[in-house]
Amino acid sequence: MKMFVYVFVPTVAFLHFANSQQPCRQFEMATDNLREVIIGQCEIYQQNINQPIFCTEGFRNCTEIWEAFSEAFKFQPRCNVDYHRLDRYFTLTDHSIPKDKSLFWENVYPFVIRYSNRGRRFYALSDTLPGYIANGPQWCSNESDTTGMSPPGTLCPGWEATPDCPQGAQRAFWIAASINYGSRASGEIFILLNATSDPIFSNNTYNAMYELPSLRENVVTKATVLLLNEHPIQGQTKCGDPTLDIISSKVKAKRIKYDCIENRRDLVETFCFDYPTADVCKILDTTSSSSFTASVLSTTLVSVFISSVIFID
Ligand SMILES: *[C@@H]1O[C@H](CO)[C@@H](O)[C@H](O)[C@H]1NC(C)=O
Ligand SMILES: *[C@@H]1O[C@H](CO)[C@@H](O)[C@H](O)[C@H]1NC(C)=O
Ligand SMILES: *[C@@H]1O[C@H](CO)[C@@H](O)[C@H](O)[C@H]1NC(C)=O
Ligand SMILES: *[C@@H]1O[C@H](CO)[C@@H](O)[C@H](O)[C@H]1NC(C)=O
């Protein structure tokens, strides 16, 4: 009898899920219920992720934001969406970003959002309302569909340019978002890069093409590259890598000071919380060789993590 119950319960659960109308989708395919998803992301950000900003600056109307978002893309050419069409969306979604908290990045997703911790340590673009709303959903324009958009399940051009699709809807969105985000930074900015990627930095990144050029002279005072090197060599640093000259020359042209730090301790601690066996985690032992201290460190990280989960919920 007991055996029957064990078998029966999961079967009921399975049938319940199997009744759902929603098909499985590959990540690049246009999101189902895009309107509800965009409005939902917008509400969640304001209610749960970062409510205090809106208590001060005023809550935004997510229906109006959806309208500005969708109007930017409806009936546009699939591979040539003008990013200026998003101006109204950014007018409606922009909020202040604290000084010294802007974090730019390349080649470190999704680690970067664990490190930024939803604005508690830093704000990456996807930790702000305009970026959070669109981070995850997939969508694209279709001039000939009655809705002006491609239906759910369509394979959409991504956020990288390709020779036959230079600027699809999502690339247009992230270009506008990057320009906007760069122009709103103040004080010291940080750029998180991955020393294991080859090259470490390049001219055709969103950061080099849209974010650094939109930094404001005299408002941004310093740019610090935070380099995560998963395989460090003692006595050496990848901060001397020639591709980083792209950044230093762009910021110095705006009289912004430049610095680079490889494996800053808080960065490595956050990384090693999820990947404790990585090479780089050995450098955390240098100040203490005892496993007791290491376990105190992980306990501290666990409590920080748990308290942030409780805070969010
Ligand atoms: C929010 O915007 C929608 C669409 O523009 C509008 O119909 C609605 O009245 C607005 N809601 C509030 C509370 O202002
Ligand atoms: C850094 O880049 C390498 C090579 O692309 C990749 O395997 C690794 O996951 C990246 N590290 C992070 C933290 O994203
Ligand atoms: C655009 O929409 C039309 C009409 O619904 C459809 O026939 C066509 O396949 C769509 N194009 C793309 C690239 O999804
Ligand atoms: C990046 O672009 C600049 C300016 O066009 C050029 O001088 C530099 O050589 C390029 N760097 C790399 C690594 O491609």
Side-chain angles (χ1 to χ4, degrees):
M1 193 59 199
K2 209 166 189 182
M3 186 118 170
F4 174 75
V5 170
Y6 277 125
V7 175
F8 182 71
V9 171
T11 309
V12 170
F14 176 76
L15 286 176
H16 174 74
F17 286 114
N19 276 334
S20 163
Q21 295 297 306
Q22 194 148 314
C24 295
R25 293 262 187 254
Q26 278 172 263
F27 182 73
E28 300 82 7
M29 303 243 172
T31 302
D32 291 86
N33 306 316
L34 184 65
R35 180 180 187 275
E36 288 72 18
V37 170
I38 296 293
I39 292 176
Q41 298 265 95
C42 172
E43 296 289 3
I44 285 174
Y45 188 89
Q46 296 188 81
Q47 290 172 25
N48 292 6
I49 309 282
N50 220 332
Q51 189 180 144
I53 289 182
F54 303 97
C55 296
T56 313
E57 300 182 5
F59 286 83
R60 312 299 159 84
N61 180 335
C62 293
T63 310
E64 199 181 357
I65 287 170
W66 157 254
E67 287 168 1
F69 178 89
S70 58
E71 289 307 321
F73 303 111
K74 277 185 183 167
F75 301 107
Q76 296 306 296
R78 175 178 163 88
C79 289
N80 185 18
V81 178
D82 179 357
Y83 69 79
H84 290 111
R85 297 183 59 83
L86 283 145
D87 287 354
R88 182 170 153 73
Y89 171 85
F90 288 103
T91 304
L92 294 172
T93 52
D94 277 343
H95 55 76
S96 63
I97 297 160
K99 189 168 171 284
D100 305 329
K101 290 280 193 179
S102 295
L103 180 66
F104 302 85
W105 58 272
E106 296 291 343
N107 301 320
V108 283
Y109 194 87
F111 169 67
V112 60
I113 52 174
R114 286 197 294 275
Y115 181 57
S116 63
N117 195 13
R118 295 175 155 183
R120 283 185 197 91
R121 190 184 270 129
F122 284 117
Y123 281 86
L125 171 53
S126 60
D127 300 313
T128 67
L129 178 63
Y132 183 87
I133 288 173
N135 188 32
Q138 306 290 310
W139 70 94
C140 46
S141 302
N142 184 332
E143 285 172 292
S144 47
D145 193 87
T146 50
T147 64
M149 301 285 281
S150 285
T154 309
L155 188 60
C156 285
W159 45 271
E160 288 293 18
T162 58
D164 51 345
C165 200
Q167 199 161 300
Q170 297 184 62
R171 184 164 178 86
F173 179 90
W174 291 111
I175 288 174
S178 300
I179 294 171
N180 180 266
Y181 187 58
S183 71
R184 299 166 64 74
S186 62
E188 182 172 10
I189 62 157
F190 296 85
I191 306 166
L192 179 59
L193 300 176
N194 181 343
T196 317
S197 67
D198 184 23
I200 294 178
F201 193 74
S202 71
N203 272 327
N204 64 4
T205 54
Y206 277 85
N207 187 245
M209 292 171 77
Y210 306 112
E211 291 171 335
L212 298 180
S214 66
L215 296 177
R216 287 173 298 168
E217 194 169 333
N218 299 322
V219 176
V220 175
T221 49
K222 186 174 179 188
T224 299
V225 168
L226 297 176
L227 197 53
L228 175 64
N229 187 353
E230 292 175 49
H231 307 289
I233 299 171
Q234 202 173 7
Q236 289 182 21
T237 165
K238 295 269 191 175
C239 276
D241 190 272
T243 63
L244 298 177
D245 295 349
I246 300 170
I247 300 178
S248 62
S249 61
K250 279 186 198 292
V251 301
K252 282 174 186 165
K254 296 193 179 203
R255 295 187 297 142
I256 296 168
K257 289 196 208 91
Y258 172 81
D259 195 9
C260 172
I261 306 168
E262 180 177 295
N263 289 340
R264 200 171 81 167
R265 194 175 175 93
D266 65 326
L267 183 68
V268 176
E269 283 170 354
T270 309
F271 181 77
C272 293
F273 183 59
D274 288 332
Y275 305 101
T277 58
D279 273 5
V280 64
C281 303
K282 293 189 191 110
I283 70 174
L284 295 175
D285 298 338
T286 52
T287 48
S288 71
S289 50
S290 84
S291 58
F292 171 75
T293 313
S295 96
V296 168
L297 171 66
S298 357
T299 311
T300 311
L301 287 170
V302 168
S303 351
V304 168
F305 179 71
I306 289 171
S307 49
S308 60
V309 167
I310 290 167
F311 178 75
I312 291 156
D313 287 342

